[in-house]
Amino acid sequence: MYRSHRPHRPHLPHPRPTAAVAAAVAALVLTACGGGAEPGDGPATGVKPCPTRLDLTAADSGRTLCVGTGATVRVALDGSPDRPWSPVTLEGGALRADNAGIGAPRGDTIAAYRATAPGTARLTATRPLCAQPTSPDGVACLGLREWTVTVRVAQG
């Protein structure tokens, strides 16, 4: 006959969270999710208002960010001569191009915008995944990396 060598463990009840623990978890979830408030709500709700300036880089790709009307949005994408970024394209009427006097090293892309009206704008650019061939019989890489950021403009 086979006998288990495990000691008998009594069934212990699962601990129940206290009201204080439940309240703390709820506060963390609301803080992480913005508390359901709209950007631009004041300090009374605990949510920071949208900033008056955004400085975007390649690391911001895929993000949705907010600014107040009148804010400045600057884009600086570092590329290289053999893997350059395309110019940034703008979709939507919430931003207006504001590029006076901006120059960029070869392969980089720099753009500036002013938030002119509440709404949404989408900024996009692309860059080759690998260097382009230097000779006509070289193998071409047709893959592109897409950069995109959505900017929500709140009444400011």
Side-chain angles (χ1 to χ4, degrees):
M1 180 184 250
Y2 176 78
R3 290 187 162 203
S4 171
H5 294 289
R6 275 189 313 172
H8 176 69
R9 292 187 198 172
H11 176 71
L12 298 174
H14 290 286
R16 302 222 186 267
T18 65
V21 170
V25 169
L28 285 173
V29 169
L30 286 174
T31 300
C33 297
E38 288 296 315
D41 286 351
T45 64
V47 177
K48 291 193 298 186
C50 296
T52 58
R53 179 179 172 129
L54 279 181
D55 293 307
L56 304 174
T57 67
D60 293 307
S61 186
R63 294 182 69 192
T64 297
L65 303 162
C66 74
V67 295
T69 52
T72 301
V73 177
R74 297 199 181 270
V75 179
L77 302 175
D78 295 330
S80 63
D82 60 343
R83 292 185 52 224
W85 282 102
S86 69
V88 176
T89 60
L90 168 64
E91 297 173 17
L95 299 178
R96 171 181 53 82
D98 194 19
N99 285 342
I102 296 177
R106 193 166 154 234
D108 293 355
T109 290
I110 296 176
Y113 302 91
R114 174 85 49 204
T116 56
T120 303
R122 185 170 182 239
L123 303 171
T124 58
T126 58
R127 179 183 189 197
L129 288 174
C130 50
Q132 300 305 305
T134 56
S135 66
D137 34 331
V139 177
C141 172
L142 301 178
L144 293 174
R145 173 184 178 191
E146 184 177 71
W147 177 87
T148 181
V149 170
T150 301
V151 178
R152 290 189 317 127
V153 178
Q155 185 66 40

